Amino acid sequence: MDKRVNLVKLSVGTESVDGLMAWQEMRRRELPEGLPRHVTRMWPKREAEILNGGSIYWVIKGLIQCRQRVLRMDEVMGEDGIRRCAIILDPELHRTHTAPKRPFQGWRYLKTEDSPADLPAGKGQEDPLPLELSQALAEIGVI
């Protein structure tokens, strides 16, 4: 199989990529294997395509700003007895070119060809553009 698809998810309450990293690092101590995860009630029907090298792209403040490779999906049971999907993620966050994304609930599929490219090596260490400027440039397709 050579098909691959990604997921896109809002990182609710996160102010920056660094904030997402810090939150995941804090939570990793509580999780099996210390791997970050996102637990969702809906199991992706396109699981095989996601596991074929797909990533979860995180939307922070209305912009896709980073991604994490999806390692696997585990079944977990909630305290309410409902089966859920734990999307197990690689701990490494890859900063991407920003891309505007309107609010939505849950997660969505993101075609590989529609996914923002990773920033060049070392570019993630530069001071980011002010959020308003970055959003404006992304809206007109400059970045």
Side-chain angles (χ1 to χ4, degrees), residues 8 57-60 62-66 96-101 110 114 116:
V8 62
Y57 283 75
W58 292 107
V59 178
I60 301 169
L63 296 169
I64 296 174
Q65 296 188 38
C66 62
T96 65
H97 289 281
T98 58
K101 194 72 176 166
L110 181 63
D114 295 336

Coordinates of all heavy atoms in Angstrom, one line a residue, residues 8 57-60 62-66 96-101 110 114 116:
V8 N -5.6 16.2 11.0 CA -5.5 17.6 11.5 C -6.4 17.7 12.7 O -7.5 17.2 12.8 CB -5.7 18.6 10.4 CG1 -7.2 18.6 9.9 CG2 -5.4 20.0 10.9
Y57 N -1.4 16.9 12.3 CA -1.0 18.3 12.1 C -1.8 19.1 13.2 O -3.0 18.9 13.2 CB -1.3 18.8 10.7 CG -0.2 18.3 9.7 CD1 -0.2 17.0 9.3 CD2 0.8 19.2 9.3 CE1 0.7 16.5 8.4 CE2 1.7 18.7 8.4 CZ 1.7 17.4 7.9 OH 2.7 17.0 7.1
W58 N -1.1 19.8 14.0 CA -1.7 20.6 15.1 C -2.0 22.0 14.7 O -1.1 22.7 14.2 CB -0.8 20.6 16.3 CG -0.6 19.2 16.9 CD1 0.5 18.4 16.9 CD2 -1.6 18.5 17.7 NE1 0.3 17.3 17.6 CE2 -1.0 17.3 18.1 CE3 -2.9 18.8 18.1 CZ2 -1.6 16.4 18.9 CZ3 -3.5 17.9 18.9 CH2 -2.9 16.7 19.3
V59 N -3.3 22.4 14.9 CA -3.7 23.8 14.7 C -3.6 24.5 16.0 O -4.2 24.1 17.0 CB -5.2 23.8 14.1 CG1 -5.6 25.2 13.9 CG2 -5.3 23.0 12.9
I60 N -2.8 25.6 16.0 CA -2.6 26.4 17.2 C -2.9 27.8 16.8 O -2.3 28.4 15.9 CB -1.2 26.3 17.7 CG1 -0.9 24.8 18.0 CG2 -0.9 27.2 18.9 CD1 0.6 24.5 18.3
G62 N -5.5 29.1 15.2 CA -6.0 29.2 13.9 C -5.0 28.9 12.8 O -5.4 29.0 11.6
L63 N -3.8 28.4 13.1 CA -2.8 28.0 12.1 C -2.3 26.6 12.3 O -1.9 26.3 13.4 CB -1.7 29.0 12.1 CG -2.0 30.5 11.8 CD1 -0.8 31.3 12.1 CD2 -2.3 30.6 10.3
I64 N -2.1 25.9 11.2 CA -1.4 24.6 11.4 C 0.1 25.1 11.6 O 0.6 25.9 10.8 CB -1.5 23.8 10.1 CG1 -2.9 23.3 9.9 CG2 -0.5 22.6 10.2 CD1 -3.2 22.5 8.6
Q65 N 0.7 24.6 12.6 CA 2.1 25.1 12.9 C 3.1 24.0 13.1 O 4.3 24.2 13.1 CB 2.1 25.9 14.2 CG 1.2 27.2 14.1 CD 1.4 28.1 15.2 OE1 2.5 28.3 15.8 NE2 0.3 28.8 15.6
C66 N 2.6 22.7 13.4 CA 3.5 21.6 13.6 C 2.8 20.3 13.3 O 1.6 20.3 13.2 CB 4.1 21.7 15.0 SG 2.9 21.5 16.3
T96 N 6.1 23.2 11.0 CA 5.8 23.3 9.6 C 5.5 24.8 9.2 O 5.4 25.6 10.0 CB 4.4 22.5 9.3 OG1 3.4 23.2 10.0 CG2 4.5 21.1 9.7
H97 N 5.5 25.0 7.9 CA 5.0 26.3 7.4 C 3.6 26.4 7.9 O 2.9 25.5 8.0 CB 5.0 26.3 5.9 CG 6.4 26.4 5.3 ND1 7.2 27.5 5.3 CD2 7.2 25.4 4.8 CE1 8.4 27.2 4.7 NE2 8.4 26.0 4.4
T98 N 3.2 27.6 8.2 CA 1.9 27.9 8.7 C 0.9 27.8 7.6 O 1.1 28.2 6.5 CB 1.8 29.2 9.5 OG1 2.1 30.3 8.6 CG2 2.7 29.2 10.7
A99 N -0.3 27.4 8.0 CA -1.4 27.3 7.1 C -2.7 27.6 7.9 O -2.9 27.0 8.9 CB -1.5 25.9 6.4
P100 N -3.5 28.5 7.4 CA -4.7 28.8 8.2 C -5.7 27.7 8.2 O -5.8 26.9 7.2 CB -5.3 30.1 7.4 CG -4.7 30.0 6.1 CD -3.4 29.3 6.2
K101 N -6.4 27.5 9.3 CA -7.4 26.4 9.4 C -8.5 27.0 10.3 O -8.3 27.4 11.4 CB -6.8 25.2 10.0 CG -7.6 24.0 9.9 CD -7.6 23.5 8.5 CE -8.3 22.2 8.3 NZ -8.6 21.8 7.0
L110 N -6.4 14.9 6.4 CA -5.7 15.9 5.6 C -4.8 15.2 4.6 O -3.9 14.4 4.9 CB -4.8 16.7 6.6 CG -3.9 17.8 6.0 CD1 -4.8 18.9 5.4 CD2 -3.0 18.4 7.1
D114 N -2.1 18.3 0.5 CA -2.6 19.5 1.1 C -1.9 19.9 2.5 O -2.3 20.9 3.1 CB -4.1 19.4 1.4 CG -4.9 19.3 0.1 OD1 -4.4 19.8 -1.0 OD2 -6.0 18.7 0.1
P116 N 1.0 21.1 5.0 CA 2.1 22.1 4.9 C 3.4 21.4 5.0 O 3.5 20.4 5.8 CB 1.8 23.1 6.0 CG 0.7 22.5 6.8 CD 0.1 21.4 6.1

